[in-house]
Amino acid sequence: MQILDPALHPIMDAYRTCEFTTLGRDGTPLTWPTAFHRRADGTLLVTTSLAFAQKALNVRRDGRVAMLLSDPTGSGLSDPPQVLVTGTAVCPEEIVTSPAGDEAYWSMLFERQPDSRKYVTGAARRLMDWYYMRLLIVVTPTVVLSRPPLARLSPAPAASGPSALLGAALLSAYPTAVMGARDEAGAPLLARTRVTPAEGGYAVESPDDRPPVPGPASLLVHRHDERLAAMHNALVRGELRRDGDGWLFVPVKVVEPAGSGGPLDVIGTLRRARRATRAYLDRRGLPRPKVAWSEFQALAATASRTDD
């Protein structure tokens, strides 16, 4: 295990989210924004609910992962460096429904995402219990790299007109995207890049510190506000190819789990989350676990008082 550079600790701790990549069954790097917590022992904690268990299932099949800290929204930092972490992860089968042992993680979430505090009280508990049925993913870093700040990555040149490429409307709405690719050993890599429509795909850039190889790849776009609300994310899956001296990403499929955020979208998300949670439990013959609501509520109340 490589101990994280202490000089990076305050920077990493300030980032609200990271881009977290696991390897799909077909080897495609699948990347989603997620909260994380740096532990005192140098490992990094990521959690996921049963409703969105795919990253946990991927880790159980192949523990190679990557994390990129590249969107400083809400961090309070001015022009911070990006941080790339690659390493290995484990995800036990245990379903955790209490904050005990990871109080610092949950306190951090309640402080940084005030809207989440209302989910642990009243009628919201019945709708949101799936959110507190968690699988813990613990990442042991093996390589940690610091990269230039996002602000220094110049935007892509304006396209000459509308593009018919798959995912063009999504990708053009963001100045940059996060590319997930693989190295020569098959391990996942991440890099924030400009995305420019080109013949047959998108021209993308790769940093010199960890060059990728041709093969399955993906492009993630995401955003959130200062309070971890107004979220949107989407993933374009495809293939990374050599294109002369550069790289070409050829899109194959668009995955957009977080949509408009409107009432119908919220209702649909809740229904899918509850259905996916039930399916996870049923496949394993497990009863629906009980959530330690009073413990979560106590942490949420403490976070509320820090705002006063």
Side-chain angles (χ1 to χ4, degrees):
M1 173 178 172
Q2 175 175 321
I3 303 299
L4 299 172
D5 182 352
L8 291 176
H9 289 179
I11 296 170
M12 296 181 70
D13 294 347
Y15 270 93
R16 268 35 183 173
T17 59
C18 72
E19 293 90 24
F20 180 66
T21 298
T22 60
L23 293 174
R25 189 177 298 276
D26 65 353
T28 300
L30 302 176
T31 309
W32 298 110
T34 186
F36 72 98
H37 184 252
R38 181 182 60 83
R39 288 173 156 181
D41 64 359
T43 61
L44 300 167
L45 174 65
V46 171
T47 79
T48 188
S49 73
L50 300 190
F52 301 98
Q54 191 58 56
K55 61 176 70 71
L57 301 179
N58 290 346
V59 162
R60 290 171 184 168
R61 185 178 56 253
D62 189 329
R64 295 175 295 178
V65 299
M67 302 171 68
L68 181 66
L69 285 61
S70 66
D71 181 353
T73 302
S75 68
L77 300 176
S78 176
D79 213 22
Q82 301 178 67
V83 180
L84 172 68
V85 177
T86 60
T88 57
V90 294
C91 181
E93 291 282 349
E94 179 186 6
I95 300 170
V96 177
T97 57
S98 164
D102 289 303
E103 290 89 349
Y105 171 84
W106 284 101
S107 293
M108 176 191 73
L109 285 186
F110 286 132
E111 289 171 7
R112 295 179 172 183
Q113 190 176 40
D115 285 351
S116 66
R117 301 170 196 167
K118 62 188 177 186
Y119 300 149
V120 298
T121 59
R125 291 181 176 182
R126 180 182 294 274
L127 293 174
M128 297 298 297
D129 65 340
W130 56 269
Y131 183 81
Y132 297 94
M133 300 175 192
R134 290 271 160 166
L135 302 171
L136 306 188
I137 301 172
V138 179
V139 178
T140 299
T142 54
V143 176
V144 181
L145 299 173
S146 179
R147 288 175 174 165
L150 174 61
R152 299 182 195 172
L153 184 62
S154 58
S160 58
S163 173
L165 289 169
L166 183 66
L170 280 169
L171 295 172
S172 65
Y174 290 81
T176 59
V178 174
M179 181 175 67
R182 300 188 305 180
D183 65 15
E184 59 185 10
L189 298 173
L190 286 169
R192 189 166 281 274
T193 178
R194 302 185 306 174
V195 178
T196 308
E199 184 68 29
Y202 298 97
V204 293
E205 300 166 340
S206 173
D208 295 332
D209 54 17
R210 294 297 300 275
V213 297
S218 60
L219 291 173
L220 168 71
V221 290
H222 73 99
R223 63 173 177 261
H224 61 78
D225 65 17
E226 303 281 329
R227 296 160 66 90
L228 288 180
M231 295 183 179
H232 174 262
N233 58 82
L235 188 74
V236 182
R237 298 179 59 163
E239 181 183 356
L240 187 64
R241 300 176 182 174
R242 272 289 186 188
D243 185 30
D245 294 333
W247 292 96
L248 184 73
F249 175 83
V250 180
V252 173
K253 180 181 179 180
V254 175
V255 183
E256 191 173 11
S260 66
L264 292 179
D265 185 59
V266 172
I267 293 171
T269 297
L270 287 174
R271 287 176 175 171
R272 290 191 296 272
R274 295 188 66 81
R275 188 162 55 243
T277 299
R278 185 166 57 248
Y280 184 97
L281 295 170
D282 289 348
R283 283 194 295 268
R284 291 159 179 79
L286 299 173
R288 199 174 188 90
K290 296 186 180 298
V291 176
W293 290 116
S294 61
E295 297 175 27
F296 284 112
Q297 190 170 6
L299 290 178
T302 300
S304 298
R305 287 194 292 272
T306 64
D307 290 340
D308 296 339

